[in-house]
Amino acid sequence: MRILLVGAGGVGDAIAKIAARRDFFETMVVSDYDVSRAERTIAAVTAKHGDQGARFVAAKIDASDPESVAAVAREHAATHVMNAVEPKFVPTIFAGALAAGADYLDMAMSLSEPHPDDPYALTGVKLGDDQFRQAGDWESAGRLALVGMGVEPGLSDVFARYAADELFSSIDELGVRDGANLVVQDENGEEIFAPSFSIWTTIEECLNPPVIWEKDRGWFTTPPFSEPEVFDFPEGIGPVECVNVEHEEVLLMPRWVDAKRVTFKYGLGDEFIGVLKTLHKLHLDATEPIRVRSANGPVEVAPRDVVAAALPDPASIGPRMTGKTCAGVWVTGTGKDGTPREVYLYHVSDNEWTMAEYDSQCVVWQTALNPVIALELLATGVWSGTGVLGPEAFPATPFLELMAKPEADGGYGQAWGLDDR
Amino acid sequence: MRILLVGAGGVGDAIAKIAARRDFFETMVVSDYDVSRAERTIAAVTAKHGDQGARFVAAKIDASDPESVAAVAREHAATHVMNAVEPKFVPTIFAGALAAGADYLDMAMSLSEPHPDDPYALTGVKLGDDQFRQAGDWESAGRLALVGMGVEPGLSDVFARYAADELFSSIDELGVRDGANLVVQDENGEEIFAPSFSIWTTIEECLNPPVIWEKDRGWFTTPPFSEPEVFDFPEGIGPVECVNVEHEEVLLMPRWVDAKRVTFKYGLGDEFIGVLKTLHKLHLDATEPIRVRSANGPVEVAPRDVVAAALPDPASIGPRMTGKTCAGVWVTGTGKDGTPREVYLYHVSDNEWTMAEYDSQCVVWQTALNPVIALELLATGVWSGTGVLGPEAFPATPFLELMAKPEADGGYGQAWGLDDR
C-alpha cells in the first residue's frame, strides 16, 4: 500500500504519527499546499521513529485542483489517497484520486446546500450526494471510495454496524452523541475561547439545517440547534447539553443499517451556540468573498476564512488544553434476547495522554486514529469493496478488535466502551 | 469660509446635505478616497438645491496621508478642514490641516491606548491626548482645532456648558446618556442586526476600558460594560439599559466645565453587548492585520475591517429603519436658586423625519447637524478661538438658539429638550 496523504494540518499530522508505528504500508506521501507543514510532520516522525520515518516523503499539492491531486498520486504510484483537508476540497480530491486510479478515503463528505424554499423542513443537496452520484464511476473502475472514515463520521458508523450485527434484533434509534469537557487556557492560566476542531467545519455543520432520518419519512431537516437534550457522557465528562447538528452519519447509516430513526447531536454548550449565532447574525459565517480594505488596497476574502485565521490553530492548542472528548452512538431498540435494550457505544480520548504519546491534541488525534485502522484493514484484505461505501458497509468486529487489542499484541491499544443503560 | 470636507460616507454626506440649505460658506470640497462617493453626494445636493449645489466640488483624498490632506486643502484654498472619517485618521488629517494653514474640526478624537499593566483601573494614552499635546503648535500658528464637535461628543458638550452657565450654581455629575429604540428590517420585514453607526468606531469605544472623571481622583478606568443602569429616555423611547463606555466627553468636559464627576453611558442593550463580547473573544475586534487565505493567495486584513465590510453600511439602512435616537446630558447638582436640581438636556432625532427631509438615517444625520451649526458660528464670528478646544470652550446659548430657531427665521429648526426631573 502506497498512501498519498493530502493535508498536513492537525489531523494529517496525527495520521502520519499514528501510521508511523504500523508496518502495513510501504510509503506515505505527506502532501500540503504549504510543503513546510508536510516537512515538519515528517521531521517529527523521523525524530521519534528513526528508520520507519524513511517511508515518509513530502510533496506540494493543490487540493483545489484535481489535476494536481492526480499528478502527485501518479508520480508516487499511490494506491490510496487519504483526504485530510477541509470538506470544501472533497470534490477535487475525490476526482483526482479516481483519475489517478487510486482508492480514496475521507473523514467528511461533499457539502450540502439548503433547500431553496423550505430549508428548515426539507433537504436540498445532502451531504455526500455529490459523491454517491458518482458511485457508478467508482464501481466500473473497480475502485473503492471509503467515505466518512474519521471518528464522527467513521467510528460512530462502525459502532452502528456493530450494534445491528451483535447487540440488537431491531433498532429504534441510532443517536450519535458527541461531548467533551475540554478547557483551553492562555499563558496566564486564563480560560480562553479556542475550538478544538476546525472552526470552518464547525460553522458549516452547526449552521446548516440539521438533518434527521426516519424510516417512514426519509431525510428531513429542522432549524439549527433544535431538540436540545442533556446527555450523560461516561468517564467523568458527565452531563452536556446536546443539539441537532447536520452530520454525515445521518446520511450514511440508513443506507446500510436498519433502524427506525437516525440522529446526530453535538454537545456544543451555551457559549459555543452563542458564538455561532452571533457569527451568523453578523454574516461572518459567509464563504463567499467580500471586498475589504487593506494596506495594499481592497482585497476579496471570505469572512469565514477570517474567523478561522483569527482563532488559534486547533492543532496548536494541545499543550494548553485539559480534559477528554467522547464520541459514540446511543442505540435503543430490542436486544438479541427480545427484550428492550439501550446502550451507548463510545470511545474517549484524553488530551493528556494524546499529547504525551503523540504530541497531538485529543480531538484531532481521535479523528486521525480511525482512518489509519481502516487503511490497515484494507491493506490486509480484511476489508474490501468497490464503489462509494460508508464505514458501516464493512464488518465492524475486526475493526473494533484491532482497535482495542494492546499495542504489544499488534493492535492499537484503544479501548472502546459499551455502556448498558 | 471655504470648507474641505474629508469623507463622503454617511456623516459626510449628511453634512453636505445640511450645509446645502445654509449660505454661510462659499465653497465645500467634498473629498473621499473613493471619489465616486463624493460625486454621489454632490449629485444629490444639486438635484435638490439647484444653484446652491454649484458651491460643492468633488476631490479625491487619502485621509491616511497628511501630505494628501494638505495638498487638497491648499489646492482649494480651504479655510476649514472638516474631518468626517473614522477616528483612526484623526492624526493625519489634523496634521494636514495645520500644514495647510487651515482651521480644523472633527467629531471624534485621536484614539486611546490602554494602560499596559492595569487597563481596567488606570488610563494609558487617553482619547485626544495626541491632539492636546499639539495645542501649542495650533496656538502659535493662530489656528483653531475644534475637536469632538458631532452630537456625542459635540452637542452633549454644548449642553454641559449650558447647564453650568445657565442652570446650576454647582454640578455634581455630568452624565452623558445615549439611547434609542431603532429597529432595522430586511426586505421580508424580519428584524435584522444592523448597527446604525460605524461598527469600527462602536467596537473601539465599547471594548476599550471606559473612562470616568472625578474631581478628587482625576481620570480612571473600569472594565468594559461596567455600572449598568436603566435610564428613562424621553419622547417615547422609554427605559434603556446603559453601561459605561469610553467617550470623548469625559476627556473634554472637565477641562472647561466645573463638576464633581463626568461619565458617559450608552444604551447598548443586551444583544449588542453580547455581539461585542463575542467579537472580542474571537479576536475579531483586532485592528492589526492578520494573514488570511484568498482566491488570489494569502492577504493581510484587519479582522475589524472585515466585520465592518460584512455588515450593512450604516448609511444605507435608513429606508429599512424605524424609531428615534436620543443624545443628551443628565446633570445633577445645585440650581441657581440654591436647591437640588436634576435635568436631562437632550435632542431627539426621528428616522422617519430625517429620511423624508434629508434621505439620511437619523443617527448619522444627528451627528452631522452639529458641526454644520458650529461652522456657521465660526463663519459669522460668534464663536472664535485658537488652539485645540472642545465645544464647551465656546458660549453655548448662541449654538442652542441657532439650532432651535425655525428654519423660516434663519435657524436649523431643531428643538432640544430640557427635562426637569
Side-chain angles (χ1 to χ4, degrees):
Chain A
M1 177 177 276
R2 302 175 59 86
I3 304 161
L4 167 58
L5 173 66
V6 183
V11 176
D13 178 74
I15 285 176
K17 288 170 175 169
I18 295 166
R21 300 195 184 184
R22 316 295 303 180
D23 58 12
F24 66 84
F25 66 97
E26 185 185 336
T27 295
M28 181 176 280
V29 182
V30 183
S31 69
D32 201 285
Y33 190 77
D34 175 358
V35 76
S36 73
R37 301 211 303 178
E39 286 162 353
R40 195 168 57 214
T41 290
I42 294 175
V45 165
T46 306
K48 184 149 184 175
H49 299 283
D51 280 0
Q52 289 286 54
R55 296 182 295 164
F56 292 80
V57 292
K60 182 175 167 64
I61 203 160
D62 179 356
S64 70
D65 177 11
E67 308 278 330
S68 171
V69 174
V72 180
R74 285 196 194 99
E75 183 190 340
H76 295 275
T79 58
H80 292 73
V81 172
M82 176 74 240
N83 175 356
V85 293
E86 287 156 32
K88 69 188 249 189
F89 298 112
V90 160
T92 45
I93 302 175
F94 192 66
L98 186 62
D103 287 354
Y104 167 92
L105 293 87
D106 63 31
M107 292 168 280
M109 289 159 65
S110 59
L111 296 174
S112 65
E113 285 171 32
H115 191 278
D117 304 321
D118 200 359
Y120 300 138
L122 304 176
T123 59
V125 176
K126 300 188 300 301
L127 287 172
D129 273 3
D130 181 54
Q131 291 175 287
F132 283 116
R133 197 172 35 75
Q134 301 176 57
D137 298 340
W138 287 79
E139 279 158 26
S140 52
R143 295 261 63 87
L144 170 65
L146 168 49
V147 294
M149 191 58 249
V151 57
E152 281 174 346
L155 179 57
S156 47
D157 302 80
V158 171
F159 282 140
R161 172 68 186 263
Y162 180 80
D165 286 356
E166 308 293 337
L167 307 178
F168 287 80
S169 59
S170 82
I171 292 175
D172 291 334
E173 177 162 347
L174 293 166
V176 188
R177 295 294 182 272
D178 177 306
N181 63 354
L182 301 169
V183 173
V184 183
Q185 297 179 326
D186 67 12
E187 315 71 61
N188 307 316
E190 304 266 350
E191 202 172 314
I192 60 168
F193 183 80
S196 53
F197 204 72
S198 158
I199 189 76
W200 202 102
T201 307
T202 308
I203 290 172
E204 181 73 19
E205 62 193 20
C206 293
L207 291 180
N208 277 345
V211 59
I212 292 173
W213 185 85
E214 290 180 1
K215 198 164 192 169
D216 54 3
R217 194 173 166 189
W219 285 292
F220 62 95
T221 58
T222 77
F225 313 117
S226 62
E227 299 178 13
E229 150 201 313
V230 174
F231 189 81
D232 197 12
F233 289 91
E235 299 196 17
I237 296 174
V240 179
E241 182 162 293
C242 298
V243 292
N244 279 322
V245 163
E246 180 194 51
H247 230 250
E248 285 87 345
E249 289 93 326
V250 179
L251 289 312
L252 288 171
M253 290 176 182
R255 294 175 198 259
W256 289 281
V257 181
D258 192 38
K260 293 200 182 69
R261 183 177 160 92
V262 182
T263 58
F264 181 98
K265 289 191 181 177
Y266 190 17
L268 285 172
D270 280 352
E271 184 188 26
F272 210 131
I273 291 175
V275 164
L276 292 168
K277 286 182 173 174
T278 299
L279 290 174
H280 184 60
K281 186 156 62 181
L282 272 62
H283 317 292
L284 294 172
D285 57 324
T287 56
E288 278 298 307
I290 60 170
R291 195 176 167 88
V292 181
R293 69 180 178 192
S294 85
N296 303 314
V299 295
E300 302 260 337
V301 287
R304 194 188 294 184
D305 288 337
V306 178
V307 173
L311 284 170
D313 180 350
S316 76
I317 58 175
R320 294 180 282 146
M321 191 161 86
T322 52
K324 297 174 178 175
T325 185
C326 178
V329 187
W330 180 32
V331 192
T332 55
T334 306
K336 291 289 188 195
D337 64 358
T339 62
R341 192 170 187 189
E342 176 180 339
V343 301
Y344 182 59
L345 296 161
Y346 65 90
H347 176 254
V348 168
S349 180
D350 182 335
N351 191 67
E352 196 181 346
W353 185 87
T354 62
M355 285 303 297
E357 276 287 307
Y358 286 92
D359 193 25
S360 176
Q361 61 98 319
C362 62
V363 178
V364 157
W365 186 87
Q366 191 187 36
T367 306
L369 169 68
N370 300 285
V372 179
I373 299 174
L375 282 164
E376 180 156 345
L377 294 172
L378 292 169
T380 55
V382 177
W383 279 13
S384 65
T386 58
V388 178
L389 302 177
E392 53 281 270
F394 299 86
T397 304
F399 186 103
L400 294 175
E401 281 179 359
L402 181 60
M403 178 174 161
K405 201 192 291 181
E407 283 197 80
D409 301 334
Y412 285 74
Q414 286 294 310
W416 52 275
L418 187 162
D419 190 358
D420 247 306
R421 297 187 173 195
Chain B
M1 177 178 277
R2 302 175 59 86
I3 304 162
L4 167 58
L5 173 65
V6 183
V11 176
D13 178 73
I15 285 176
K17 288 170 174 170
I18 296 166
R21 300 196 184 185
R22 315 297 302 182
D23 58 11
F24 66 84
F25 66 98
E26 185 185 337
T27 295
M28 182 177 280
V29 182
V30 182
S31 69
D32 201 285
Y33 190 78
D34 175 359
V35 75
S36 73
R37 301 211 302 177
E39 287 161 352
R40 195 167 57 213
T41 289
I42 294 175
V45 165
T46 306
K48 185 146 183 176
H49 299 284
D51 281 358
Q52 289 287 53
R55 296 182 295 162
F56 293 80
V57 293
K60 181 175 166 64
I61 204 161
D62 179 356
S64 70
D65 177 10
E67 309 278 331
S68 170
V69 174
V72 180
R74 284 197 195 98
E75 183 190 340
H76 295 275
T79 59
H80 292 73
V81 172
M82 177 74 240
N83 174 355
V85 293
E86 287 156 32
K88 69 187 250 189
F89 298 112
V90 160
T92 45
I93 302 175
F94 192 66
L98 185 61
D103 288 353
Y104 167 92
L105 293 87
D106 64 31
M107 293 168 281
M109 290 159 64
S110 58
L111 296 173
S112 65
E113 285 171 32
H115 191 279
D117 304 321
D118 199 359
Y120 300 139
L122 305 177
T123 58
V125 175
K126 300 188 299 302
L127 286 171
D129 274 3
D130 180 53
Q131 291 175 287
F132 282 116
R133 196 172 35 74
Q134 301 175 57
D137 298 341
W138 287 79
E139 279 159 27
S140 52
R143 297 262 62 86
L144 170 65
L146 169 48
V147 295
M149 191 60 248
V151 58
E152 282 174 346
L155 179 57
S156 48
D157 301 81
V158 171
F159 282 140
R161 172 67 187 264
Y162 180 79
D165 287 355
E166 307 294 336
L167 308 177
F168 287 79
S169 59
S170 81
I171 293 175
D172 291 334
E173 177 162 349
L174 293 165
V176 188
R177 296 293 182 271
D178 177 308
N181 63 355
L182 300 168
V183 172
V184 183
Q185 297 180 327
D186 67 12
E187 315 72 60
N188 308 317
E190 304 265 353
E191 201 171 314
I192 60 168
F193 183 80
S196 55
F197 203 72
S198 158
I199 189 76
W200 203 103
T201 307
T202 307
I203 291 172
E204 181 73 20
E205 63 193 20
C206 293
L207 291 180
N208 278 344
V211 60
I212 292 173
W213 186 85
E214 290 181 2
K215 197 163 191 172
D216 54 2
R217 193 172 168 192
W219 285 292
F220 61 95
T221 58
T222 78
F225 314 116
S226 61
E227 299 177 12
E229 151 201 312
V230 174
F231 189 81
D232 197 11
F233 289 92
E235 299 195 18
I237 296 174
V240 180
E241 182 162 292
C242 298
V243 293
N244 280 321
V245 163
E246 180 193 51
H247 230 251
E248 285 87 344
E249 289 91 327
V250 180
L251 289 313
L252 288 171
M253 290 176 181
R255 295 176 198 260
W256 288 281
V257 181
D258 192 38
K260 294 201 181 69
R261 182 177 160 93
V262 182
T263 58
F264 181 98
K265 289 191 182 178
Y266 191 15
L268 285 172
D270 281 352
E271 183 188 27
F272 209 131
I273 291 175
V275 164
L276 292 168
K277 286 183 175 174
T278 298
L279 290 174
H280 184 60
K281 185 156 63 181
L282 273 60
H283 317 292
L284 294 172
D285 58 324
T287 56
E288 279 297 306
I290 61 170
R291 196 177 168 88
V292 180
R293 68 181 180 192
S294 86
N296 303 312
V299 295
E300 303 259 337
V301 287
R304 194 188 295 183
D305 289 337
V306 178
V307 173
L311 284 170
D313 180 351
S316 75
I317 59 174
R320 293 180 282 145
M321 191 160 85
T322 53
K324 297 173 180 176
T325 186
C326 178
V329 187
W330 180 31
V331 192
T332 56
T334 306
K336 292 288 188 193
D337 64 358
T339 62
R341 192 170 187 188
E342 176 180 340
V343 301
Y344 182 58
L345 297 160
Y346 66 90
H347 176 255
V348 168
S349 179
D350 182 335
N351 191 66
E352 196 180 345
W353 184 86
T354 62
M355 285 303 296
E357 276 288 306
Y358 286 93
D359 194 23
S360 176
Q361 61 99 318
C362 62
V363 178
V364 157
W365 185 87
Q366 191 186 37
T367 305
L369 169 68
N370 299 285
V372 179
I373 299 174
L375 282 163
E376 180 156 346
L377 293 173
L378 292 168
T380 55
V382 177
W383 278 13
S384 65
T386 58
V388 178
L389 302 178
E392 53 281 271
F394 299 86
T397 304
F399 186 103
L400 295 174
E401 281 180 359
L402 181 59
M403 177 175 163
K405 203 191 292 180
E407 283 196 78
D409 301 335
Y412 285 75
Q414 286 294 309
W416 51 275
L418 188 163
D419 190 359
D420 246 306
R421 295 188 173 195

